Structure formats: C-alpha cells, structure tokens
Amino acid sequence: PSAATPPGPVSGLGPRRAMIVGVDQALLDLVVQVDADPGIFERFDLERNTQCLAEARHTPLLEDLLARAEEGGTVRKTPGGVVANSLRAAAFTLRHADAGSTAGAAARRPELNFFGMVGSDPSAERLRQELSKAGVDPMFTMKPRGGTSQDPNSLSERTGVCCCLIAGKERTMVTELGAGRTMELHGNHGPEWPGWDARMRDAEAAVVSAPGPGQAKLPIMVILSAFYAQADVEGAKAIQRWCQQPREDGGPRPLLALAISAEWCCRLPAIQDLARTADFLFANQPEIEELAASLRESGAFAQASASKEPKTLPESLSISECAITAVAQWKANGWVIATRGSHSVGFMRAAGEEALMVPVPRLPPEEFVDDVGAGDSFMGGFLGTVWLAFAERSAALASAPPKAPGSTSSGCFGGCLEALARQASGAAREPLLAASEAPAAKRLKIGQDEGLSKDPAGVLLTESDIEAACKAGIATAAVCLRSVGCQFPP
C-alpha cells in the first residue's frame, strides 16, 4: 500500500472505558431465494450447500446480484462476515441485557468496533449504515488506488460481497473478498499505513477515558476470524502480541477470541499458533474434529503433554467430545467452545479435566427460516455475555474485600439471559447462576497470582459463567434462525 485512510473517529455516545473490537474482511451479504431457479447451481458450477471463494466463472453471478441489490426487490443486503455478524449479535445481546440491568450497569457497556477495509462504492456506505444502526462502530479503512491500470469498478477493488443462495433449508455461499482481503496490520509499511498497534492507540484515545474514583478498569476484547488471520499472518501475530501485553492503565490484559471459520484453516500453522493462546477458541463440530486430527498428526499433542501426566479418555465419549478435550488439554490458556449443530454446545477450560455439554433446545421446524450467520450469532451472544461476567469479576477483584459467598449481584449479567429467553420464544431456559456464587468468590482470591496475567479468562471465569454464556449464545442464534440473512429485531 502507498496510501491509507486511517480509521475515522469513533462515533456513538461519547468516551467509554471498554471496547470489543472485531477484525475481519468487510463483506456485504447478498441474500436471495433461488427455489424458483434450481438451474443456477449448474450454470455457475456450484456445489449446493457449500462455501467457496469466487472464481472467474462466478463473476456474472456476482455482478447480477449486485445490480439487483441496488434496484431493491428480491436481493436482501445485510452486513456479512464472521466477525461483523458476531458484533451485531453481541450488540443485540448487550442491548437486551440492559432490560434487566441497573442504570449504572447499563452505562458500563463496551463500545463495539469493527476494523475492515472497503472500496469507495455503495456497498461500503450500506455497510456503514447497517453496522451503525445495529450498534457497531464501523472503523473502516478505504483501499488506496493501486494505479491507473486498475479498474476501480472491478470486483477486486470494490467492497467484498458474499452471495448467499438460499434453496429450501440449504445455503450456498460464494465470496468475493475484494478490497477487504487484508489490511496488512503488521506495521511494516511505516506511518503512511498504520499497523495494529498504531490503530489501537488511536482507537483507545478516542474511546478510553480514565475511570473515576472507585470505578474498575473494564476489559478490552478482540475478535478475530481465521479467514482474516490466514490472509494477514503477520498482522494477526501483531494482534496476538498486543493481546498478551499488560495494559498501561493497569486493567486486565486484552482478551482474544478466535473463530476457526473453516475446516481448511485448521491445518495452517499460523492458525494453530493463534488457537493455542486465544482466550476463547470457537469452532463447530467438523472444525474441532479437524483441528484435533491435524494436531495429532503433527505431533503437537505429544509435545504439549510431554511434561504432563498422560490422560485416558473414557470410551463413552463421542468423537467431538474427544476432540474438544484433546484441544483444550493442548491449549496454553483460555477456553474451547465448540458448537455441535442442533444437539449441544461443548466447552472446556484449557488443561481441564472434561468437556461439559449444554443442550440446544429444539427449534420447531415451522419457525426455522435460514441458518445464515447462526454460528456467528452464537459467538456474538456468547462474547457479549461473557464480557459482562469478566467485567464483574475484574471489578470484584479490584475492590476490597471481594464479595462474600452467597451475596447477590447487580443483575447486569443475570438480566441478559432472561431477556434473550423472551426473544427466543418457546425455548425453555434455566435461571442464571448468581455472578458472585461461592466458586467465583474463591477464584477471586488468586487474582494476584501471576497466572492472572497469563490466563485472565481461565482464572476469573468459572464453568458456570461459560455455561451461562453458551445459553445466551444459543438463544441469540435462535433469534437468527427465525430471520432471513442474520437479522436481529430492535
């Protein structure tokens, strides 16, 4: 890159003391029902119910859907991509958590920001509008012109798009990354093209203000997709390093959430390195099984467990449960969270003993619309909820003395699940455990241990916290499943 438009100032409600920041390819989803045109798959050589990157043969399809989207009508335009969908879901989760919160708790909500690169076109403006309306601040970088030889109207120069072809209950996705392929966040281009550290300094200057007397420093969380990380390996490493460093204001170090995104990402060394140190590692069932298989074949499990007592897994465990357990025992810190379709969500602490399962309530078939963004919505609902739990833990740790076992919380965390349960009608929900229950209070006593700086999510968050976050994620995904193209009600 020879020039850049740096991220603009943060819009919204003024200075905040916390952020959830997403980094991914900026994409506009073009969602269209194709039941009346079954030949579309053969015409463009597409395998039904799959995902692929666009090739030359797909250009007419992309151009047609873009033109039809501008005209309105049958093609729906919505923000797309793993992280943007997750941030919109997190905004929805946090917004409905406010319904059960005190005024003071609601004021401690994090600022939601999305970093991505876009072209200079109507799709970029539509993305800005939709993300802002959803409560996510679009901190876009405009792709610089590469010279007169490049056509600014070519798909590679325009904002990325993902065509979602819906046939019955199946979705077939064709993605043109366009301008958003990578922001090159490594910082090696000099001041004319800021890297991750420089961008975050600007973002923090706009968002973070010093806490007032008696106020705890609230956490910062970064959400990264493996799709983006594999396209910007050095930039992803810069994000990883930044998240492992203590904050200058004395707050807990930033938390990193990584979405595996696709099975083929599991075998990439750069993604495996990120997965080992991410505070929250998200995968679906095929992805967690592929990651476990790849790590086993490479000898990574043997290396990680060389100094540990070998563990024998019960024969009753399923393949996915074995995979979750193996990956969690390999991880250096944090948590593994794996969705298992309509059956359950499994989770386990790094180096833990066993994976725990949270059942997924049955969704009546007549209420299902499509599953575009359902996994992303789960991750957003989970992270919005777990951020609240982590903020409460951090605040309790900073106060003296910690809350006594059995005392009640402010309700900002507890209101989240109840409000989401009302949105996801018809699904039975268990009451959320109090945020200051005895196991949590016991954990806060080790807050001064050096393990807190290495593994803040593993130290401060309990299995009850993660279970509650899984339930909130499931409820958020249920809202998504009842809509077209990953949409959320006000």
Side-chain angles (χ1 to χ4, degrees):
S2 57
T5 302
V10 175
S11 62
L13 302 177
R16 304 286 184 89
R17 293 177 291 109
M19 291 185 291
I20 297 179
V21 182
V23 182
D24 202 1
Q25 283 112 359
L27 297 173
L28 185 70
D29 277 358
L30 305 175
V31 184
V32 60
Q33 296 282 345
V34 295
D35 293 294
D37 184 15
I40 192 171
F41 301 101
E42 184 177 352
R43 288 201 306 276
F44 296 104
D45 192 17
L46 289 169
E47 183 179 350
R48 295 173 68 115
N49 205 30
T50 61
Q51 303 178 45
C52 70
L53 291 177
E55 299 179 15
R57 68 180 185 273
H58 301 133
T59 298
L61 171 65
L62 296 167
E63 296 282 11
D64 175 60
L65 291 185
L66 277 168
R68 288 163 58 189
E70 290 305 313
E71 296 169 359
T74 59
V75 179
R76 180 188 294 267
K77 297 187 293 185
T78 67
V82 173
V83 174
N85 286 341
S86 296
L87 286 170
R88 292 191 298 120
F92 170 79
T93 303
L94 292 165
R95 188 163 62 246
H96 285 272
D98 288 346
S101 304
T102 64
R108 294 194 296 271
R109 293 288 172 263
E111 186 84 25
L112 302 176
N113 306 287
F114 178 75
F115 281 0
M117 188 181 295
V118 297
S120 179
D121 51 40
S123 293
E125 185 56 34
R126 180 62 179 262
L127 270 177
R128 285 192 182 91
Q129 294 172 359
E130 293 294 329
L131 288 172
S132 298
K133 185 169 66 175
V136 178
D137 207 357
M139 301 181 73
F140 288 157
T141 298
M142 297 291 295
K143 183 175 181 179
R145 299 297 186 194
T148 56
S149 61
Q150 289 185 289
D151 179 4
N153 294 316
S154 69
L155 289 172
S156 63
E157 294 295 299
R158 286 191 276 179
T159 300
V161 294
C162 178
C163 297
C164 304
L165 309 179
I166 309 299
K169 304 299 183 182
E170 297 179 341
R171 57 172 176 168
T172 304
M173 306 175 76
V174 184
T175 301
E176 169 55 62
L177 297 175
R181 184 176 299 274
T182 173
M183 288 188 288
E184 299 187 36
L185 294 172
H186 45 67
N188 297 331
H189 289 304
E192 72 278 3
W193 189 269
W196 173 256
D197 287 29
R199 291 170 190 262
M200 287 308 296
R201 281 195 297 270
D202 290 344
E204 288 186 282
V207 177
V208 180
S209 61
Q215 292 179 321
K217 301 175 180 66
L218 296 177
I220 292 176
M221 180 185 290
V222 180
I223 310 174
L224 181 65
S225 78
F227 280 144
Y228 183 85
Q230 60 84 30
D232 186 8
V233 172
E234 293 304 316
K237 288 181 179 178
I239 295 172
Q240 183 184 35
R241 288 192 299 270
W242 186 83
C243 287
Q244 292 172 343
Q245 296 172 357
R247 282 167 57 183
E248 293 181 0
D249 63 6
R253 72 159 178 79
L255 302 176
L256 176 62
L258 175 69
I260 291 294
S261 308
E263 291 176 61
W264 59 266
C265 292
C266 297
R267 294 186 174 271
L268 302 177
I271 302 306
Q272 293 178 0
D273 181 61
L274 284 167
R276 189 154 195 262
T277 61
D279 297 286
F280 303 101
L281 175 64
F282 292 90
N284 60 25
Q285 183 170 336
E287 291 162 1
I288 198 68
E289 292 176 5
E290 181 70 13
L291 178 59
S294 176
L295 293 171
R296 183 180 62 252
E297 293 167 10
S298 68
F301 286 152
Q303 296 172 18
S305 61
S307 60
K308 301 176 184 177
E309 185 72 21
K311 297 182 184 295
T312 302
L313 299 180
E315 294 182 0
S316 60
L317 292 185
S318 66
I319 293 175
S320 60
E321 288 173 315
C322 289
I324 295 168
T325 303
V327 171
Q329 291 177 353
W330 161 79
K331 272 181 61 60
N333 58 275
W335 298 83
V336 175
I337 303 96
T339 57
R340 304 172 71 216
S342 60
H343 303 291
S344 63
V345 175
F347 68 89
M348 183 171 166
R349 192 194 309 273
E353 294 297 324
E354 63 176 336
L356 301 178
M357 297 293 155
V358 181
V360 174
R362 179 181 177 273
L363 181 71
E366 64 273 13
E367 295 183 18
F368 176 87
V369 178
D370 75 53
D371 62 354
V372 173
D376 309 337
S377 299
F378 167 83
M379 183 168 72
F382 178 102
L383 290 174
T385 305
V386 89
W387 187 95
L388 296 177
F390 190 83
E392 286 196 11
R393 298 286 186 260
S394 301
L397 183 66
S399 64
K403 294 178 182 179
S407 62
T408 57
S409 68
S410 64
C412 74
F413 187 37
C416 176
L417 187 60
E418 296 167 7
L420 283 168
R422 289 193 295 271
Q423 282 290 327
S425 59
R429 295 288 182 266
E430 297 179 13
L432 187 65
L433 294 173
S436 54
E437 60 187 344
K442 183 178 179 181
R443 278 200 166 275
L444 292 179
K445 295 178 182 178
I446 64 173
Q448 300 305 318
D449 187 89
E450 63 179 11
L452 183 61
S453 60
K454 177 183 177 182
D455 189 10
V459 169
L460 290 184
L461 294 171
T462 70
E463 289 177 345
S464 295
D465 293 329
I466 302 302
E467 179 183 10
C470 285
K471 291 179 179 179
I474 291 168
T476 307
V479 175
C480 173
L481 291 170
R482 291 179 169 91
S483 67
V484 175
C486 194
Q487 292 297 297
F488 301 96

